[in-house]
Amino acid sequence: MLKVNKLSKYHGELEVLKNINLCIEAGQVVCIIGPSGSGKSTFLRCLNLLEIPTSGKIFYQGNNVMDMTSEIKELRKKVGMVFQRFNLFPLKTVLQNVTMAPVLINKVSKEEANNMALDLLKKVGLAEKANVYPSTLSGGQQQRVAIARALAMNPEMLLFDEPTSALDPELVGDVLDVMKQLAKEGMTMVVVTHEMGFAREISDRVIFMDGGYIIEDDTPQEIFTNPKHKRTKEFLSRVL
Ligand code: ADP
Ligand code: MG
């Protein structure tokens, strides 16, 4: 579904991503772990071209997405993103947050978008919050709205950048439950996370990044019980 070939990204003089190679199959759940500053967010942002790689190639379903800038819009429709800070539109209701992109970008009728949004809000456990404003919700609820909003575009793949890091601990579980449900339903997901329990339980693969490199890419079983690299071992001993 997605193939990354020799990806490199510089911010000024700093090489933030170094020779990243990766394939993601449809239906896979891939968790990315690693210390702060290792390039996880930059990598995720490169995957849907929120950042433009300095060199290397990204193929989505066989098409080189950096060939044509006109493909960026198409790519972003297919590859949704959920951020650490939920970035909901504060002056729109929950329902409007979810319906806006389908109506404006996918040209879905308002009625259809409303119906779909209500279904999605039900799915994330927030059907009764459709008509309130985001500021009245907890962080966990806002993040679930952000997930519903991403799903409203009918994405083929979802990228999550530390979706629970900004949440109070007691609110993390509800968000992870929604993500687990999506994973079970077969959504292709790439998740940058510090939730090692989630990574272990849900992912098909875990990628450990450090210093701009993919150091290790393996099954959760191998990464968590039998890490091969010194740096993976050190990182895990600090976080587990
Ligand atoms: P992570 O998500 O793993 O914490 P990031 O991808 O955010 O790592 O950052 C990787 C490195 O790139 C860090 O050293 C960070 O300071 C640097 N960096 C990230 N974004 C920018 C930017 N827009 N300009 C300059 N440096 C950046
Ligand atoms: Mg980050």
Side-chain angles (χ1 to χ4, degrees):
M1 188 168 196
L2 185 82
K3 184 171 178 175
V4 176
N5 210 337
K6 293 188 183 159
L7 190 79
S8 153
K9 172 72 181 174
Y10 280 83
H11 279 305
E13 298 281 283
L14 185 68
E15 191 177 15
V16 178
L17 295 177
K18 300 165 184 163
N19 189 32
I20 300 284
N21 295 289
L22 179 72
C23 274
I24 295 171
E25 313 289 339
Q28 272 194 333
V29 177
V30 178
C31 281
I32 303 179
I33 62 172
S36 180
S38 58
K40 305 180 299 297
S41 294
T42 305
F43 177 55
L44 213 59
R45 292 164 62 82
C46 282
L47 290 185
N48 72 350
L49 300 184
L50 283 176
E51 296 202 42
I52 304 301
T54 307
S55 64
K57 291 196 171 118
I58 299 174
F59 297 93
Y60 188 77
Q61 292 170 338
N63 299 315
N64 182 348
V65 300
M66 270 135 41
D67 265 357
M68 297 195 305
T69 40
S70 63
E71 303 234 345
I72 291 185
K73 251 167 102 181
E74 287 306 307
L75 181 74
R76 294 216 187 113
K77 278 192 210 173
K78 294 175 187 164
V79 182
M81 184 134 177
V82 175
F83 301 92
Q84 179 175 358
R85 299 258 158 218
F86 337 111
N87 302 334
L88 297 176
F89 304 109
L91 301 179
K92 303 276 181 195
T93 65
V94 163
L95 189 73
Q96 288 165 339
N97 264 277
V98 180
T99 58
M100 196 144 76
V103 169
L104 290 179
I105 299 170
N106 280 358
K107 309 294 178 202
V108 172
S109 75
K110 228 174 174 161
E111 194 190 348
E112 196 183 327
N114 278 343
N115 290 337
M116 182 171 64
L118 288 170
D119 281 347
L120 289 170
L121 288 172
K122 200 193 263 176
K123 186 185 175 91
V124 301
L126 293 171
E128 79 287 6
K129 299 291 188 187
N131 296 313
V132 309
Y133 287 88
S135 60
T136 66
L137 300 178
S138 74
Q141 290 171 328
Q142 291 187 49
Q143 190 59 299
R144 284 183 280 147
V145 174
I147 293 172
R149 182 176 62 175
L151 290 171
M153 292 297 282
N154 249 325
E156 297 167 349
M157 177 184 279
L158 277 181
L159 311 176
F160 294 84
D161 193 358
E162 299 196 27
T164 60
S165 295
L167 302 179
D168 291 333
E170 75 272 21
L171 303 177
V172 168
D174 287 341
V175 173
L176 292 181
D177 284 345
V178 168
M179 293 169 64
K180 284 178 196 174
Q181 185 60 34
L182 289 176
K184 274 198 202 127
E185 291 168 9
M187 176 64 76
T188 310
M189 295 166 49
V190 184
V191 186
V192 174
T193 187
H194 294 294
E195 295 292 331
M196 297 301 147
F198 174 84
R200 197 170 179 148
E201 184 186 344
I202 293 304
S203 56
D204 299 295
R205 265 161 71 199
V206 175
I207 287 172
F208 172 66
M209 286 185 70
D210 196 11
Y213 290 103
I214 290 181
I215 304 289
E216 207 161 333
D217 176 351
D218 214 328
T219 61
Q221 173 76 12
E222 281 299 302
I223 295 272
F224 289 113
T225 58
N226 187 25
K228 309 272 180 306
H229 291 260
K230 186 164 161 272
R231 283 200 265 176
T232 318
K233 286 178 197 165
E234 281 168 2
F235 175 74
L236 289 174
S237 73
R238 272 184 278 129
V239 299
L240 287 179

